[in-house]
Short mmCIF file of all heavy atoms in Angstrom, two decimals:
data_model
loop_
_atom_site.label_atom_id
_atom_site.label_comp_id
_atom_site.label_asym_id
_atom_site.label_seq_id
_atom_site.Cartn_x
_atom_site.Cartn_y
_atom_site.Cartn_z
N ALA A 423 123.35 112.60 66.49
CA ALA A 423 123.35 113.93 67.11
C ALA A 423 124.69 114.23 67.79
O ALA A 423 125.13 115.37 67.82
CB ALA A 423 122.23 114.01 68.15
N ARG A 424 125.34 113.19 68.32
CA ARG A 424 126.61 113.42 69.02
C ARG A 424 127.83 113.36 68.12
O ARG A 424 128.76 114.12 68.27
CB ARG A 424 126.77 112.42 70.18
CG ARG A 424 128.05 112.67 71.00
CD ARG A 424 127.92 112.15 72.37
NE ARG A 424 129.15 112.30 73.17
CZ ARG A 424 129.51 113.39 73.82
NH1 ARG A 424 128.73 114.45 73.83
NH2 ARG A 424 130.66 113.42 74.54
N PHE A 425 127.82 112.43 67.15
CA PHE A 425 129.00 112.18 66.36
C PHE A 425 128.86 112.50 64.85
O PHE A 425 129.84 112.50 64.15
CB PHE A 425 129.43 110.71 66.49
CG PHE A 425 129.78 110.27 67.88
CD1 PHE A 425 128.89 109.52 68.62
CD2 PHE A 425 130.96 110.64 68.44
CE1 PHE A 425 129.19 109.13 69.93
CE2 PHE A 425 131.30 110.26 69.75
CZ PHE A 425 130.40 109.51 70.50
N GLY A 426 127.66 112.81 64.43
CA GLY A 426 127.44 113.09 63.03
C GLY A 426 127.02 111.86 62.23
O GLY A 426 127.09 110.73 62.69
N SER A 427 126.58 112.11 61.01
CA SER A 427 126.11 111.03 60.12
C SER A 427 127.25 110.18 59.62
O SER A 427 128.38 110.64 59.51
CB SER A 427 125.31 111.61 58.95
OG SER A 427 124.21 112.37 59.41
N HIS A 428 126.94 108.91 59.29
CA HIS A 428 127.87 108.01 58.66
C HIS A 428 129.16 107.78 59.50
O HIS A 428 130.25 107.64 58.96
CB HIS A 428 128.26 108.51 57.25
CG HIS A 428 127.07 108.85 56.41
ND1 HIS A 428 126.14 107.92 56.01
CD2 HIS A 428 126.66 110.04 55.89
CE1 HIS A 428 125.20 108.53 55.30
NE2 HIS A 428 125.50 109.81 55.20
N ARG A 429 128.95 107.75 60.80
CA ARG A 429 130.08 107.47 61.69
C ARG A 429 129.67 106.39 62.66
O ARG A 429 129.30 106.64 63.82
CB ARG A 429 130.51 108.74 62.44
CG ARG A 429 131.24 109.76 61.56
CD ARG A 429 131.60 110.99 62.34
NE ARG A 429 132.52 110.71 63.45
CZ ARG A 429 132.89 111.62 64.33
NH1 ARG A 429 132.42 112.86 64.25
NH2 ARG A 429 133.71 111.33 65.29
N PRO A 430 129.65 105.15 62.22
CA PRO A 430 129.26 104.04 63.11
C PRO A 430 130.31 103.82 64.18
O PRO A 430 131.46 104.24 64.06
CB PRO A 430 129.21 102.84 62.16
CG PRO A 430 130.14 103.17 61.06
CD PRO A 430 130.01 104.67 60.87
N PRO A 431 129.93 103.19 65.29
CA PRO A 431 130.92 102.90 66.34
C PRO A 431 131.94 101.88 65.87
O PRO A 431 131.68 101.08 64.94
CB PRO A 431 130.06 102.35 67.49
CG PRO A 431 128.89 101.75 66.80
CD PRO A 431 128.60 102.65 65.62
N LYS A 432 133.11 101.91 66.51
CA LYS A 432 134.12 100.90 66.21
C LYS A 432 133.71 99.53 66.79
O LYS A 432 134.15 98.50 66.26
CB LYS A 432 135.46 101.32 66.79
CG LYS A 432 136.01 102.64 66.25
CD LYS A 432 136.30 102.55 64.77
CE LYS A 432 137.51 101.66 64.47
NZ LYS A 432 137.88 101.68 63.02
N ALA A 433 132.92 99.54 67.83
CA ALA A 433 132.51 98.31 68.49
C ALA A 433 131.31 98.59 69.41
O ALA A 433 131.04 99.75 69.74
CB ALA A 433 133.66 97.68 69.29
N ILE A 434 130.62 97.52 69.76
CA ILE A 434 129.59 97.59 70.79
C ILE A 434 130.05 96.65 71.90
O ILE A 434 130.38 95.49 71.66
CB ILE A 434 128.22 97.14 70.23
CG1 ILE A 434 127.76 98.08 69.10
CG2 ILE A 434 127.16 97.13 71.36
CD1 ILE A 434 126.53 97.63 68.36
N ILE A 435 130.08 97.17 73.12
CA ILE A 435 130.48 96.38 74.29
C ILE A 435 129.22 96.13 75.12
O ILE A 435 128.50 97.09 75.46
CB ILE A 435 131.52 97.11 75.15
CG1 ILE A 435 132.68 97.66 74.28
CG2 ILE A 435 132.01 96.20 76.25
CD1 ILE A 435 133.51 96.61 73.62
N MET A 436 128.97 94.88 75.45
CA MET A 436 127.81 94.52 76.24
C MET A 436 128.23 94.24 77.68
O MET A 436 129.08 93.39 77.94
CB MET A 436 127.11 93.27 75.69
CG MET A 436 126.66 93.39 74.23
SD MET A 436 125.52 94.73 73.94
CE MET A 436 124.19 94.30 75.08
N THR A 437 127.64 95.00 78.64
CA THR A 437 127.87 94.63 80.04
C THR A 437 127.16 93.31 80.35
O THR A 437 127.67 92.51 81.13
CB THR A 437 127.33 95.71 81.00
OG1 THR A 437 125.91 95.84 80.88
CG2 THR A 437 128.01 97.07 80.74
N HIS A 438 126.04 93.09 79.74
CA HIS A 438 125.29 91.83 79.82
C HIS A 438 124.16 91.93 78.80
O HIS A 438 124.02 92.95 78.12
CB HIS A 438 124.78 91.52 81.22
CG HIS A 438 123.80 92.49 81.75
ND1 HIS A 438 124.08 93.84 81.94
CD2 HIS A 438 122.52 92.35 82.19
CE1 HIS A 438 123.06 94.46 82.45
NE2 HIS A 438 122.07 93.58 82.62
N ALA A 439 123.37 90.86 78.66
CA ALA A 439 122.42 90.81 77.54
C ALA A 439 120.97 90.65 77.99
O ALA A 439 120.15 90.09 77.27
CB ALA A 439 122.80 89.68 76.58
N HIS A 440 120.62 91.16 79.17
CA HIS A 440 119.21 91.22 79.52
C HIS A 440 118.45 92.06 78.50
O HIS A 440 119.04 92.92 77.85
CB HIS A 440 119.04 91.82 80.91
CG HIS A 440 119.29 90.80 82.02
ND1 HIS A 440 119.69 91.20 83.27
CD2 HIS A 440 119.21 89.45 82.05
CE1 HIS A 440 119.85 90.13 84.04
NE2 HIS A 440 119.57 89.07 83.32
N PHE A 441 117.13 91.86 78.41
CA PHE A 441 116.32 92.50 77.38
C PHE A 441 116.49 94.01 77.32
O PHE A 441 116.43 94.59 76.21
CB PHE A 441 114.84 92.15 77.63
CG PHE A 441 114.20 92.96 78.70
CD1 PHE A 441 113.43 94.08 78.38
CD2 PHE A 441 114.39 92.66 80.05
CE1 PHE A 441 112.83 94.84 79.39
CE2 PHE A 441 113.80 93.42 81.05
CZ PHE A 441 113.03 94.51 80.73
N ASP A 442 116.72 94.64 78.47
CA ASP A 442 116.79 96.09 78.49
C ASP A 442 118.18 96.63 78.14
O ASP A 442 118.40 97.84 78.12
CB ASP A 442 116.32 96.64 79.84
CG ASP A 442 116.99 96.01 81.03
OD1 ASP A 442 117.60 94.93 80.87
OD2 ASP A 442 116.90 96.56 82.15
N HIS A 443 119.10 95.72 77.88
CA HIS A 443 120.44 96.13 77.45
C HIS A 443 120.74 95.66 76.04
O HIS A 443 121.69 96.14 75.44
CB HIS A 443 121.50 95.59 78.44
CG HIS A 443 121.43 96.18 79.77
ND1 HIS A 443 122.30 97.14 80.25
CD2 HIS A 443 120.55 96.02 80.79
CE1 HIS A 443 121.98 97.50 81.49
NE2 HIS A 443 120.88 96.82 81.85
#
Side-chain angles (χ1 to χ4, degrees):
R424 183 154 176 85
F425 298 104
S427 301
H428 309 298
R429 288 178 62 185
K432 299 295 290 184
I434 299 172
I435 311 295
M436 302 301 302
T437 63
H438 62 300
H440 281 154
F441 78 99
D442 51 344
H443 293 255

